[in-house]
Every structure is written in C-alpha cells, then in structure tokens.
Amino acid sequence: MYLFHGLTCSEAFILVVMAYDRYVAICCPLHYPVLMTPQTNAMLAASAWLTALLLPIPAVVQTSHMAFGPVALVYHCFCDHLAVVQASCSDTTPQTFLGFCIAMVVSFLPLLLVFLSYAHILASVLRISSREGRSKAFSTCSSHLLVVGTYYSSIAVAYVAYRADLPLDFHIMGNVVFAILTPVLNPLIYTLRNKDVKAAITKMRV
C-alpha cells in the first residue's frame, strides 16, 4: 500500500515540477539557465519525492492498526487504501476521511499548480507575434500536457467508478487504468518527442 500510494504521489508532484520548468522556459527564457540550474533541478525533484514518500505514511500506519476479522477479503487486485479500510471491522470513518484529504492534496493541489503554470504559459505564447514561435512554444509543452491529461483522466475514471455506485469490478478496473495506463504511456510519449528516436523511426520506414 505504501509503495503504490507513495509512487503515485511522486508522479503528481513531478508533473508539477515539470510544469514549472516549462513555465520558466517559455515565460522567462533569458533567465532559464540561472533559475533552472542542476542544483535547482535536483532540489525540486528531491522535494517532490520526499513529499510524496512522506504523505502516505499517516494513512498507512493508521490502517495497520485497524482491526480485521479472521478472514478479511480485499476486493481489489492490489492493496488500495480504501479497499483495505473497507475490509476492516473497525470504524472506517476516520480512515476514509484521512484518505480523502490525502487524495485532495495529491490530486487537486498539483492540478491547480499545473493549471496556473499553463495559464501564464498561454498568456506568454499568445503575445508571440510569429506563428512559428507560437508553434515551437506549444510543441515544447505538448508531451507534458499529454501526460498530464492522461494522468488526471485516469484519476477521474477511478473516482467516478467509485462514486457512481457502480459494481466493484468497475471500481477495480478504474484503479487499474489509473495505476497502469499512465506509467505505460509516459515512456512512449516522451520517447517519441526525442529527435534521435524520430530519426530512427524515419530510417526504419525508409
């Protein structure tokens, strides 16, 4: 449970760091080498990972102290926090509320920060006079936007599957999509943006 939720949180915070990187690159291009030094990049990445790995600890520790019957059936294919809590014979209200609060911090706060970054980016791009300059700026952000869209759409699928009072199988499939789809697509999306990979694919076609 800790590894799954910790790594999920890290992905959300890394997407925020990448959005900030794109913001500095497009809105403050002349200051980019000064603002985004290797030390700054390392600090931002370390902060994202540290926050992500610390955030799930309270929920995981409290869940480990809950009471379970002799046979506890977890209706899931991995140790999802909510699925484990629902299998407990203790009062699940505090744990459900804690899990909801952590989900809000991990989901909506990073999404808000990404939106703010791209609002400034969009305002800067629209001030670029040449069509080629605007196209280049949008191209810089396209892969990151695609990953953000995939990540948060999979979260929405998982959330709707749970809240819409659908059968448990739909809830499980929503979480599987959320857990697997984005990590599988990320390397493909970023790799296809690589010039060397594009050149290799072009040669293979020829």
Side-chain angles (χ1 to χ4, degrees):
M1 184 194 300
Y2 172 73
L3 288 174
F4 172 75
H5 290 293
L7 294 175
T8 301
C9 293
S10 69
E11 185 169 8
F13 294 135
I14 289 293
L15 288 175
V16 174
V17 172
M18 294 174 68
Y20 176 71
D21 177 79
R22 296 299 84 203
Y23 160 75
V24 176
I26 294 174
C27 297
C28 314
L30 298 179
H31 296 99
Y32 184 84
V34 177
L35 295 175
M36 300 302 292
T37 62
Q39 293 80 6
T40 303
N41 292 335
M43 184 184 69
L44 289 172
S47 300
W49 274 100
L50 185 62
T51 305
L53 295 177
L54 290 176
L55 199 58
I57 289 178
V60 173
V61 170
Q62 289 190 22
T63 304
S64 68
H65 289 96
M66 296 181 75
F68 294 88
V71 179
L73 297 176
V74 178
Y75 292 98
H76 222 300
C77 53
F78 58 87
C79 288
D80 179 58
H81 174 258
L82 185 61
V84 175
V85 168
Q86 289 177 337
S88 172
C89 52
S90 304
D91 179 18
T92 61
T93 304
Q95 271 298 321
T96 304
F97 179 73
L98 179 61
F100 176 78
C101 291
I102 293 175
M104 293 302 100
V105 171
V106 173
S107 301
F108 288 102
L109 182 59
L111 182 60
L112 176 62
L113 294 174
V114 170
F115 271 142
L116 288 174
S117 294
Y118 276 103
H120 286 89
I121 288 171
L122 181 61
S124 295
V125 169
L126 292 177
R127 286 197 294 267
I128 298 175
S129 56
S130 68
R131 178 177 296 180
E132 183 181 351
R134 288 196 298 269
S135 176
K136 185 177 179 180
F138 279 125
S139 176
T140 303
C141 302
S142 59
S143 57
H144 181 250
L145 279 173
L146 186 56
V147 170
V148 170
T150 305
Y151 178 77
Y152 282 102
S153 60
S154 60
I155 288 180
V157 169
Y159 181 80
V160 169
Y162 170 66
R163 289 295 178 184
D165 197 24
L166 296 172
L168 284 171
D169 290 344
F170 285 93
H171 182 208
I172 293 170
M173 285 305 301
N175 274 281
V176 169
V177 168
F178 164 61
I180 296 176
L181 180 63
T182 307
V184 168
L185 290 179
N186 282 1
L188 296 175
I189 293 169
Y190 288 123
T191 299
L192 292 175
R193 294 286 303 160
N194 187 290
K195 293 180 180 179
D196 295 332
V197 174
K198 285 182 178 179
I201 292 174
T202 303
K203 288 180 180 178
M204 288 174 61
R205 287 178 178 176
V206 175

